[in-house]
Amino acid sequence: MIVKKFLCAPGPTAVPAEILNEMAKPLIHHRTPQFDAIIAENAQLLKQVFKTQNPVVTFTSSGTGAMEASITNFLSKGDKAIVVSAGKFGERFAEIGTAYGVEVIELKAEYGKDVKPAAVAEALKANPGVKAVYSEYSETSTAVAFDIKGIAEVVRKTDAIFVVDAITAAGCMELEMDAWGIDVAVAGSQKSFMIPPGLAFLAASEKARKMMETSNLPKYYFDLAGEIKSNEKNTTSWTPAVTIIIGLNMALKMMVSEGIDNVIKRHYIIAEAIRVGVQAIGLKLFADVPNVRPSDAVTAVRVPDGVEGKKIPDIMQNKYGVTIAGGQGSMAGKIFRLGSLGYMDKTDVIIQLQAMEFTLKDLGFQFESGKSVAAAQKFLLDNIKL
Ligand SMILES: *Cc1c(COP(=O)(O)O)cnc(C)c1O
């Protein structure tokens, strides 16, 4: 039998054929009116995804480039910053800060949990002079969504800026940059944007742009002030990933024509159907629900006792054609992660659950075949108009 391939990871995500075709056209030069118009349109469309009037710049880099830029462009040597973390990506913020000589105060919770706004308020009180608070929104490594609206409410009352890694949240979960008072939000192309890796986005509020003026950390490629100036002239500072920016233009138009709020609703329905499905055969979510909100980008599932967890992503990919993600770092072999991010439809729920069932049978886990698929299907029937 042939093995048909499905990319269901929480990044990189599947790219629609029409976008691939658009990106396959002969290359254009980046210093042309034709390309300037695309840059200008993307900048406007990105604002709709972030729900902001602030400038949203596009860097040619993976998401981590924008995370780094969100430190180097606002902070100065020796500044104190609180990093809220309960997973691998939160830890990355702390590592970048430390690398640049920032005094990082880590506010940690166990993997699978989150850090509550009240804890952030306490930490801000205990550490006067903190310049910024960094947090994940959707912590992709644990599939937990942090209460960003709540944390923003706490931070906006202080002089600190609030920086959010929205890399798997933008275009996936509710994100109201301006209304909630987020100062800096970052995202990446290979997540909800349905295009290949290579672009990172960063939006910055007026409060953040003020801090940018005094920031003395080293920066060159990721110099935000320069990039904002270039963008105002509808161009970029350096040679951008032209092909992916063209793909982005089509992807953003698709997202806006579906309606950003509908895109977010779709992500919830797909993710919830997966959550319902896995629990129907007795599997447990890794996210500490209901104490935390699960992310709608990805579902982390605990590997059941007696099953060799590291084999699950391998068998799903190599034998059944469905690429998902395993656990990162110390979570390797303990969880596996099903995707609901980006170009995802109800059918992708069924594809993943059935490949998961086949794989778990192969690995000796006992359950009633088809039950996860049936439960997810029932949820989909009850919750969407087919
Ligand atoms: C994917 C991801 C990143 C960025 O990773 P890159 O490999 O640099 O694109 C950062 N944060 C989160 C939450 C992510 O999911």
Side-chain angles (χ1 to χ4, degrees), residues 46-56 176-178 203-204:
L46 281 166
K47 287 181 185 187
Q48 297 185 44
V49 176
F50 284 75
K51 302 267 177 89
T52 187
Q53 299 299 320
N54 294 312
V56 187
E176 299 278 346
M177 181 171 182
D178 293 356

Side-chain angles (χ1 to χ4, degrees), residues 12-24:
T13 61
V15 181
E18 52 270 47
I19 295 181
L20 290 170
N21 285 336
E22 192 64 27
M23 293 193 303

Side-chain angles (χ1 to χ4, degrees), residues 83-216:
V83 174
V84 169
S85 98
K88 298 307 285 179
F89 291 103
E91 288 163 17
R92 188 171 299 178
F93 262 143
E95 286 163 14
I96 300 168
T98 304
Y100 279 99
V102 171
E103 192 186 315
V104 172
I105 300 155
E106 278 191 87
L107 195 55
K108 280 187 159 229
E110 254 173 78
Y111 290 177
K113 299 187 187 295
D114 68 352
V115 175
K116 301 294 179 199
V120 177
E122 242 170 71
L124 279 163
K125 229 178 249 156
N127 297 282
V130 160
K131 290 283 167 58
V133 175
Y134 289 80
S135 178
E136 295 302 307
Y137 184 167
S138 159
E139 173 51 82
T140 317
S141 68
T142 62
V144 170
F146 284 61
D147 178 4
I148 287 306
K149 189 181 178 192
I151 299 175
E153 245 172 66
V154 166
V155 181
R156 74 192 300 181
K157 291 184 198 132
T158 71
D159 291 334
I161 56 165
F162 185 36
V163 181
V164 176
D165 173 356
I167 294 184
T168 51
C172 170
M173 299 185 75
E174 196 185 9
L175 175 68
E176 299 278 346
M177 181 171 182
D178 293 356
W180 293 354
I182 294 170
D183 294 298
V184 179
V186 299
S189 58
Q190 79 276 26
K191 310 285 173 122
S192 76
F193 295 91
M194 311 181 284
I195 49 175
L199 300 178
F201 313 115
L202 187 153
S205 72
E206 207 179 322
K207 184 175 172 186
R209 298 200 302 278
K210 277 240 163 64
M211 260 174 86
M212 190 172 79
E213 289 165 14
T214 56
S215 156
N216 70 11

Side-chain angles (χ1 to χ4, degrees), residues 23-75:
M23 293 193 303
K25 289 181 179 169
L27 194 64
I28 60 169
H29 196 278
H30 62 290
R31 306 292 183 208
T32 54
Q34 193 188 353
F35 192 69
D36 291 355
I38 293 171
I39 293 280
E41 191 173 28
N42 284 357
Q44 292 313 311
L45 292 167
L46 281 166
K47 287 181 185 187
Q48 297 185 44
V49 176
F50 284 75
K51 302 267 177 89
T52 187
Q53 299 299 320
N54 294 312
V56 187
V57 304
T58 298
F59 293 116
T60 289
S61 76
S62 81
T64 306
M67 290 175 79
E68 181 159 319
S70 77
I71 288 177
T72 57
N73 283 285
F74 306 110
L75 299 181

